[in-house]
Amino acid sequence: MRKYAKVVSQEPVGAGVFLLRLEAPAVAAATSPGTFVMLRVSGGPEPLLARPFSVHGAEGDHLLILYQVVGRGTEMLSRVEPGRELACWGPLGNGFNLDCQRPLLVAGGMGVAPLWFAARAMAERGAEVSVLFGLAGAGGYSELLAVLQDQAEAGKISLSFTTEDGSLGEKGLVTHLMPQALERADRVLACGPPAMLKAVASLAAEAEVACQVSLEAPMACGVGACLGCVVPAVPGGGYLRVCQEGPVLGAARVDWERL
Ligand SMILES: Cc1cc2nc3c(=O)[nH]c(=O)nc-3n(C[C@H](O)[C@H](O)[C@H](O)COP(=O)(O)OP(=O)(O)OC[C@H]3O[C@@H](n4cnc5c(N)ncnc54)[C@H](O)[C@@H]3O)c2cc1C
Ligand code: FES
C-alpha cells in the first residue's frame, strides 16, 4: 500500500548516520522486525527512485528508520525537515522468526537497524538476547552507541562490540566473537555486508544452529516486479527476490558461492 509519512524528527546520531522518526500509523501498526519500507523524497526538482530501509522500531503511530548517507538518495533524505511528507510504501517483505529463547544477533554496520528492532521485541518476550555489533571503527558513532547501550541496559540485552581498529570492544571482526557465543544460542539472526553474512552462515552451520540473514540488494520496485533484487538460491539453483521472498532468508537457502 502506498502512503505518505510525515517527518516528525530527524536527528544526527553519528557521522552521516541519522535517526528518522516518521508519523505513519498504518505502517507502524502492521510492521514487524525484519520488514522494510520504500521511502521517496518527493516534491523536489529531481524525481528520485524510492530507496529501501529496514524498520528500526515502531512506537505508537511512529516508525523509526536508522540510516547512513551513502549516495544521492540518502543525502537528499538527510536534508528533509520535520513536517515534510515522504512517499512511503510498506511494510514490505517478511520478518524474522522471533520464536526462540537464546537468540544471537550479529550486526555489521547499519545491519544493526533491523536487528535492534528484533532484539528489543525478543527481550520484551522474555528471551535472553545477545547482540554482537561490529564496526570498522567507533569514531563518529558515539551518540548511536550511547543510545544502544542505554537501551540494552534497560531491556536486559547483552551487547558486545568489536571494531577493526580496536577503538571499542574487542579488536577484529564481529565473527571472532561468534564461536563462544554460539555455544548457548538457539538461533542466529544476522544483517550486514555480504562477506560478513557468508562467514556468519558458515559458523552457524558448523555449530548446527539455525540462522536467518537479512539481505540487502539494489531495489527499484520493492514489490517483486522488476527482478532487480534477486540473489542466487540453493538447492537447485534459481534465484530469490530479496523484496518478496526476503529480505529475511534462511541462511541455507542462499548460494553464498554465487552471491
Ligand atoms: C531491504 C533493505 C533494507 C535496508 N535497510 C537499510 C537501513 O536500515 N539503513 C541504511 O542505512 N541502509 C539500508 N539499506 C540500504 C539503503 O537502501 C541504501 O543505502 C540506499 O538505497 C542508498 O541510496 P543512495 O541513493 O543514497 O545511494 P546510491 O547512489 O544508490 O548508491 C551509493 C553507493 O551505495 C551502494 N548501495 C546502494 N544501495 C545499496 C544496498 N542496498 N546495499 C549495499 N550497497 C548499496 C551503491 O553500490 C553505491 O556504491 C537497505 C537496503 C535494503 C535492500
Ligand atoms: S525490487 Fe523489484 S523485484 Fe525486488
Side-chain angles (χ1 to χ4, degrees):
M1 54 185 158
R2 184 178 300 207
K3 296 272 179 203
Y4 286 86
K6 189 183 272 187
V7 175
V8 177
S9 62
Q10 164 113 273
E11 290 169 37
V13 291
V17 182
F18 292 83
L19 182 63
L20 176 66
R21 181 178 286 268
L22 299 171
E23 189 179 297
V27 186
T31 192
S32 64
T35 60
F36 68 100
V37 291
M38 299 291 285
L39 294 180
R40 190 179 68 206
V41 180
S42 48
E46 295 178 86
L48 188 74
L49 280 178
R51 298 290 192 257
F53 297 95
S54 303
V55 176
H56 178 55
E59 295 175 0
D61 288 349
H62 292 172
L63 203 62
L64 303 180
I65 305 290
L66 178 71
Y67 72 94
Q68 185 152 37
V69 173
V70 297
R72 199 164 66 95
T74 44
E75 200 277 323
M76 282 176 71
L77 186 61
S78 72
R79 286 190 275 115
V80 168
E81 302 276 351
R84 180 95 176 265
E85 289 201 323
L86 305 176
C88 174
W89 293 249
L92 301 169
N94 59 5
F96 291 108
N97 180 343
L98 306 181
D99 190 15
C100 52
Q101 279 311 304
R102 297 180 308 283
L104 174 63
L105 279 57
V106 188
M110 281 302 107
V112 77
L115 285 181
W116 200 248
F117 188 15
R120 295 180 80 186
M122 286 190 283
E124 273 169 28
R125 293 173 177 204
E128 291 171 40
V129 182
S130 299
V131 179
L132 310 180
F133 183 16
L135 286 164
Y141 289 96
S142 53
E143 294 103 320
L144 173 63
L145 297 174
V147 170
L148 296 182
Q149 269 167 327
D150 284 352
Q151 291 181 352
E153 216 166 286
K156 298 195 170 68
I157 295 168
S158 157
L159 175 61
S160 307
F161 297 103
T162 62
T163 48
E164 289 172 47
D165 65 3
S167 50
L168 179 70
E170 190 148 322
K171 185 173 181 177
L173 299 174
V174 69
T175 43
H176 290 171
L177 296 183
M178 277 188 71
Q180 198 182 348
L182 274 167
E183 284 173 15
R184 60 184 318 275
D186 61 359
R187 178 164 301 156
V188 173
L189 278 54
C191 186
M196 182 205 101
L197 294 181
K198 182 180 177 185
V200 169
S202 166
L203 287 165
E206 266 172 43
E208 298 183 358
V209 178
C211 178
Q212 297 180 301
V213 294
S214 177
L215 292 178
E216 288 191 6
M219 286 187 184
C221 74
V223 292
C226 72
L227 304 185
C229 65
V230 295
V231 293
V234 283
Y239 291 89
L240 296 165
R241 293 164 300 177
V242 172
C243 68
Q244 286 289 290
E245 287 81 41
V248 177
L249 292 166
R253 294 185 71 193
V254 179
D255 186 342
W256 297 103
E257 298 310 316
R258 289 196 294 141
L259 187 69

